[in-house]
């Protein structure tokens, strides 16, 4: 017991809130977690300015700088080029798009709860070489988050058990050698897509 224990309790309280926000990133839009992280950092900084000693005020200044860097990084990330996916929800919509595309096709089976899908979005699909290669494709995304009957029919069409999965079409036929199940980093992705 003592003052030091109160400090430890408050520090661990902030850490636990940070972990909770980090976990939320898997199920809510990124902008929500960005706002929550900045609010946590700024709230902690203002608390230290009001109640802290000299060391606490130095930590507060560091937290403010970190929150500004975090906001800048988030704005840069939001302004990055994103892939122009067309979303489909039924087999009929998918068949219509694949039948009328004049370019090769990539179909991305995706879900909000799928950690590997998020890795694809945050790592592989941000790589410049991958973006350049995929500009030659018609891009289709199938969101199977809710696992509806239509989602199950779409996965059954390709004998898939769940996301992530990438299916490639050319001239109306699936290129089975390019099919990807599970996460692939940019180098692995490009090696498969260029074969």
């Amino acid at each position: 017991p003592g003052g030091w224990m109160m400090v430890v309790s408050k520090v661990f309280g902030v850490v636990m809130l940070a972990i909770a926000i980090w976990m939320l990133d898997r199920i809510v839009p990124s902008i929500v977690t960005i706002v929550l992280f900045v609010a946590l950092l700024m709230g902690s900084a203002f608390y230290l300015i009001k109640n802290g000693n000299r060391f606490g005020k130095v930590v507060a200044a560091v937290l403010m700088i970190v929150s500004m860097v975090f906001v800048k990084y988030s704005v840069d990330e939001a302004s990055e080029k994103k892939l122009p996916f067309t979303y489909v929800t039924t087999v009929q919509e998918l068949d219509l798009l694949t039948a009328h595309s004049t370019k090769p096709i990539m179909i991305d089976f995706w879900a909000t709860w799928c950690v590997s899908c998020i890795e694809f979005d945050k790592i592989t699909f941000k790589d410049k070489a991958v973006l350049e290669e995929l500009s030659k494709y018609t891009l289709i995304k199938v969101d199977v988050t809710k696992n509806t009957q239509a989602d199950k029919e779409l996965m059954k069409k390709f004998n898939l058990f769940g996301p992530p999965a990438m299916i490639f079409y050319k001239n109306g036929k699936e290129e089975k050698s390019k099919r990807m199940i599970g996460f692939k980093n940019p180098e692995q992705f490009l090696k498969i897509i260029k074969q």
Side-chain angles (χ1 to χ4, degrees):
W4 69 275
M5 196 57 162
M6 291 296 290
V7 172
V8 169
S9 297
K10 289 172 184 172
V11 168
F12 274 103
V14 171
V15 169
M16 288 172 70
L17 284 171
I19 291 169
I21 295 168
W22 176 69
M23 298 286 282
L24 265 179
D25 191 45
R26 289 158 176 75
I27 56 171
V28 298
S30 294
I31 189 66
V32 174
T33 53
I34 290 164
V35 169
L36 290 172
F37 266 123
V38 170
L40 179 63
L41 290 170
M42 294 301 281
S44 300
F46 285 123
Y47 176 84
L48 287 170
I49 288 168
K50 187 176 179 187
N51 302 303
N53 55 21
R54 186 177 294 170
F55 176 73
K57 289 178 171 63
V58 170
V59 173
V62 170
L63 287 175
M64 286 186 166
I65 292 166
V66 168
S67 65
M68 285 186 276
V69 169
F70 190 70
V71 168
K72 166 98 171 62
Y73 167 78
S74 302
V75 168
D76 290 346
E77 186 176 318
S79 64
E80 281 179 357
K81 187 178 177 184
K82 293 199 174 11
L83 291 169
F85 281 102
T86 300
Y87 283 78
V88 297
T89 56
T90 65
V91 171
Q92 292 76 18
E93 288 175 2
L94 181 62
D95 289 343
L96 194 65
L97 275 173
T98 54
H100 291 89
S101 176
T102 55
K103 299 196 290 186
I105 298 166
M106 182 185 84
I107 306 164
D108 176 11
F109 281 82
W110 183 93
T112 55
W113 43 260
C114 167
V115 175
S116 295
C117 299
I118 293 164
E119 286 180 316
F120 259 116
D121 290 343
K122 292 191 173 180
I123 300 168
T124 306
F125 293 157
K126 288 192 175 175
D127 183 82
K128 287 182 181 176
V130 171
L131 288 169
E132 186 179 336
E133 188 64 28
L134 289 179
S135 67
K136 304 168 189 171
Y137 283 75
T138 295
L139 302 173
I140 300 171
K141 194 176 281 275
V142 180
D143 183 351
V144 294
T145 300
K146 294 178 181 175
N147 199 30
T148 63
Q149 188 58 40
D151 295 344
K152 290 174 186 173
E153 287 172 12
L154 281 159
M155 287 191 288
K156 187 178 179 182
K157 179 179 172 71
F158 298 102
N159 293 318
L160 297 174
F161 294 103
M166 304 291 161
I167 309 294
F168 292 86
Y169 269 78
K170 191 172 184 180
N171 300 323
K173 292 183 179 178
E174 184 187 346
E175 295 184 280
K176 293 196 174 179
S177 64
K178 292 185 178 180
R179 183 182 279 219
M180 295 181 210
I181 306 294
F183 175 70
K184 300 287 183 284
N185 66 32
E187 293 76 22
Q188 294 168 325
F189 185 88
L190 287 168
K191 186 177 179 183
I192 294 169
I193 201 174
K194 288 182 175 180
Q195 64 186 5

